[in-house]
């Protein structure tokens, strides 16, 4: 069974940050449900495993994946992979192209186009269920990526807002303190003149 996956999602994080995340297998595998990175052979080749459940059937696959294209200029990465079912006769082949593009609001859009070819007992569940499982996995992946990348942005924004709030409070306190200081100074001056006047009145007597 062969089918295609076309998905996209937005991340409120700069394009360079999203790009670096997506070309790092150690980061990506943390957001891919059921996936495990077994070995990094080099920066473009790695061994991995993934567990997939379709209906009552759960399967495990182990295989090899490779980045065949990593274009820093266009922010495109192409990956191909092959895996075999553990303890079974099934197999899968994947070719996936991911592109990151900047958004006007400062965020990024990730577009994924994949071609998947499945062999084995998994195909008995039909294209509809398999594609739905793929969409669910992708939604979990995109949600995880947003949580991991946007939390950094939110933390920085929170820190900036906190600093601004502290500065505003300091300004407000300074503004509030100014009249108090002025009144205190005026009271000292008034007492000084009252004493001076009192002394002059005492001398005139």
């Amino acid at each position: 069974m062969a089918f295609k996956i076309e998905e996209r999602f937005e991340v409120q994080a700069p394009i360079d940050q999203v790009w670096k995340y997506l070309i790092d297998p150690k980061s990506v595998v943390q957001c891919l449900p059921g996936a495990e990175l077994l070995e990094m052979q080099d920066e473009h080749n790695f061994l991995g495993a993934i567990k997939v459940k379709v209906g009552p059937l759960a399967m495990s696959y182990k295989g090899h994946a490779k980045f065949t294209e990593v274009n820093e200029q266009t922010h495109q990465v192409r990956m191909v992979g092959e895996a075999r079912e553990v303890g079974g006769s099934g197999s899968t082949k994947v070719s996936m192209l991911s592109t990151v593009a900047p958004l006007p609001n400062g965020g990024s859009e990730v577009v994924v186009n994949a071609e998947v070819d499945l062999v084995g007992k998994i195909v008995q569940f039909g294209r509809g269920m398999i594609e739905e499982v793929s969409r669910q996995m992708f939604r979990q992946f995109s949600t995880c990526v947003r949580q991991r990348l946007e939390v950094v942005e939110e933390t920085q924004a929170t820190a900036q807002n906190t600093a601004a709030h502290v500065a505003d409070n300091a300004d407000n306190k300074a503004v509030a303190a100014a009249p108090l200081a002025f009144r205190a100074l005026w009271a000292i001056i008034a007492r000084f003149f009252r004493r001076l006047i009192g002394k002059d009145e005492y001398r005139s007597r």
Side-chain angles (χ1 to χ4, degrees):
M1 178 186 294
F3 62 96
K4 295 182 179 181
I5 299 175
E6 296 180 5
E7 299 284 352
R8 64 182 63 217
F9 65 96
E10 295 182 7
V11 185
Q12 293 307 310
I15 184 172
D16 289 339
Q17 185 179 351
V18 179
W19 169 250
K20 289 178 181 178
Y21 189 91
L22 292 179
I23 61 174
D24 179 11
K26 295 179 182 178
S27 298
V28 171
V29 75
Q30 294 174 3
C31 282
L32 194 59
E36 180 184 3
L37 182 63
L38 300 176
E39 181 185 348
M40 284 288 297
Q41 297 179 319
D42 55 47
E43 62 180 1
H44 289 120
N45 293 271
F46 49 96
L47 303 179
I50 189 168
K51 296 179 180 179
V52 181
K53 186 175 182 180
V54 181
L57 190 64
M59 291 147 292
S60 297
Y61 294 87
K62 287 185 178 181
H64 170 263
K66 178 180 182 180
F67 288 142
T68 59
E69 177 188 352
V70 181
N71 193 319
E72 297 280 351
Q73 300 299 320
T74 60
H75 294 102
Q76 286 188 330
V77 56
R78 186 183 298 277
M79 184 200 74
V80 296
E82 294 186 17
R84 297 198 64 84
E85 182 184 357
V86 178
S89 58
S91 64
T92 180
K93 294 182 180 180
V94 180
S95 176
M96 183 169 63
L97 176 66
S98 301
T99 305
V100 188
L103 294 173
N105 63 3
S108 305
E109 181 184 52
V110 180
V111 180
V112 177
N113 290 278
E115 296 181 359
V116 183
D117 190 5
L118 295 173
V119 176
K121 55 187 177 182
I122 191 174
V123 301
Q124 65 183 293
F125 292 98
R127 185 184 305 275
M129 181 175 288
I130 293 174
E131 289 181 345
E132 178 57 30
V133 170
S134 299
R135 283 192 290 268
Q136 290 179 6
M137 292 178 65
F138 187 86
R139 282 194 291 267
Q140 292 179 46
F141 172 75
S142 60
T143 298
C144 177
V145 172
R146 282 195 291 264
Q147 289 174 342
R148 288 181 177 272
L149 295 184
E150 291 179 355
V151 70
V152 176
E153 298 297 303
E154 291 172 1
T155 300
Q156 293 174 348
T158 300
Q160 292 173 354
N161 291 337
T162 301
H165 181 66
V166 170
D168 288 341
N169 284 344
D171 289 341
N172 291 337
K173 289 178 181 177
V175 171
L180 294 175
F182 180 78
R183 286 198 294 268
L185 179 61
W186 178 251
I188 293 172
I189 294 173
R191 282 199 300 271
F192 172 78
F193 278 105
R194 279 199 299 269
R195 290 189 192 125
L196 184 61
I197 294 173
K199 289 179 181 179
D200 289 342
E201 287 179 352
Y202 178 79
R203 288 172 184 171
S204 63
R205 292 176 185 175

